[in-house]
Amino acid sequence: AIESAERASIERSVVEEPVTVILSRRGWIRARNGHGIDMSGISFKDGDERFLEIECKTTDQAVLLGQSGKTYTLAVASLPSGRGDGVPVNTLIGSDRDPIRWLGCGAVETLYLLSTSAGNGFICRLGDMVTRIKAGKEFMSVPEGAEVRPALALWPADAAPKSADRAHLAALSSDGRLLLFPLADVPTRPNGGLGVQLIALPEGVTLAALAVSDGRELGV
C-alpha cells in the first residue's frame, strides 16, 4: 500500500537586529548592519549612486513602490549583507523595467499618503501594500505621463496623535501655488486605486511637494 507522507516544513528563525536597507539609483539593493550609518562611506558601482535607504530590523518586511503603481515586498533578512554592492532588486522581485520610487518598512499599521505628480492621492496602511506575489501587486493607478511620488508617512493607524483631527495637508504645485486643506478630506483606500485630486493642476504643471501638519507644525 502507498501511504501519503506528511508534508515537511522548514522554519527559519531570524534574530531581530538593526539594519539599514540601501537601494542604489540603478536598482542594486543590500543591507548593512546597524543604524546611523555614515552614507558618505558607502561605495557604489561605477555610474551608480545613492538613491534610497531606510533603517529597519532584520525581522521586517520591506515594501517597494514602483513607477507602474505596483507594490513589491521583500523580507529584510533575505537581502545580501556585508560590504558588497548587493544584487539587482529585479532579481528578487518581478520589477523588471519598473523603476522603484519608494522604499519603506516598519509597523504595518502606519498610515501613508500616496500621490503622483498629476496631483491625485489617497491614504493607506503600510500593510495594505504588502504582497506575497513576486511579480508585484497592482495597487496605485498612475495617470499617463505622471510620476509616482515617494509615500509620505503620517502616523500609526492605531495610535494617531490627539491633534490628528486638526491635521492639514499642504500641497505645492510646480508653479508655486500652495493649497492647505484638512487631511480628513483625503480618503483611506486599503485597496489602492487613483484616489482624489489633491490640487487642481493646469496643463504642464505638476505636484511638487506635500507636507502634513499634526495640528501644531508642518513636517515634510
Side-chain angles (χ1 to χ4, degrees), residues 129-140:
M129 295 185 270
V130 172
T131 177
R132 294 183 179 181
I133 304 172
K134 183 178 180 181
K137 175 182 181 180
E138 298 280 357
F139 192 71
M140 189 179 188

Side-chain angles (χ1 to χ4, degrees), residues 4-180:
S4 59
E6 293 184 3
R7 180 176 295 178
S9 61
I10 300 176
E11 293 186 1
R12 179 187 177 191
S13 60
V14 177
V15 178
E16 183 177 302
E17 295 178 332
V19 293
T20 300
V21 176
I22 302 169
L23 180 69
S24 75
R25 179 71 62 179
R26 291 192 171 182
W28 285 68
I29 195 167
R30 55 187 143 164
R32 290 289 296 270
N33 293 333
H35 291 169
I37 292 176
D38 179 6
M39 291 302 299
S40 65
I42 301 296
S43 61
F44 297 90
K45 287 180 173 292
D46 289 344
D48 205 355
E49 62 183 350
R50 178 181 178 183
F51 180 43
L52 298 172
E53 60 269 347
I54 188 167
E55 295 180 346
C56 50
K57 297 176 291 187
T58 48
T59 50
D60 285 337
Q61 289 183 309
V63 175
L64 301 94
L65 177 62
Q67 169 59 31
S68 68
K70 281 187 174 183
T71 59
Y72 308 88
T73 307
L74 283 172
V76 172
S78 70
L79 299 177
S81 57
R83 296 189 173 276
D85 296 314
V87 297
V89 70
N90 62 10
T91 63
L92 304 178
I93 55 177
S95 62
D96 189 31
R97 298 180 183 176
D98 186 12
I100 301 301
R101 301 300 190 200
W102 176 78
L103 169 67
C105 66
V108 294
E109 292 297 326
T110 303
L111 294 175
Y112 284 88
L113 174 62
L114 270 59
S115 64
T116 73
S117 61
N120 56 292
F122 60 89
I123 294 171
C124 68
R125 301 180 314 128
L126 180 66
D128 296 331
M129 295 185 270
V130 172
T131 177
R132 294 183 179 181
I133 304 172
K134 183 178 180 181
K137 175 182 181 180
E138 298 280 357
F139 192 71
M140 189 179 188
S141 298
V142 184
E144 185 177 355
E147 289 193 1
V148 170
R149 292 175 42 79
L152 179 64
L154 300 178
W155 40 68
D158 56 353
K162 293 181 180 179
S163 57
D165 59 345
R166 302 195 303 272
H168 280 68
L169 181 68
L172 178 68
S173 66
S174 60
D175 62 350
R177 290 178 298 114
L178 180 68
L179 178 65
L180 187 68

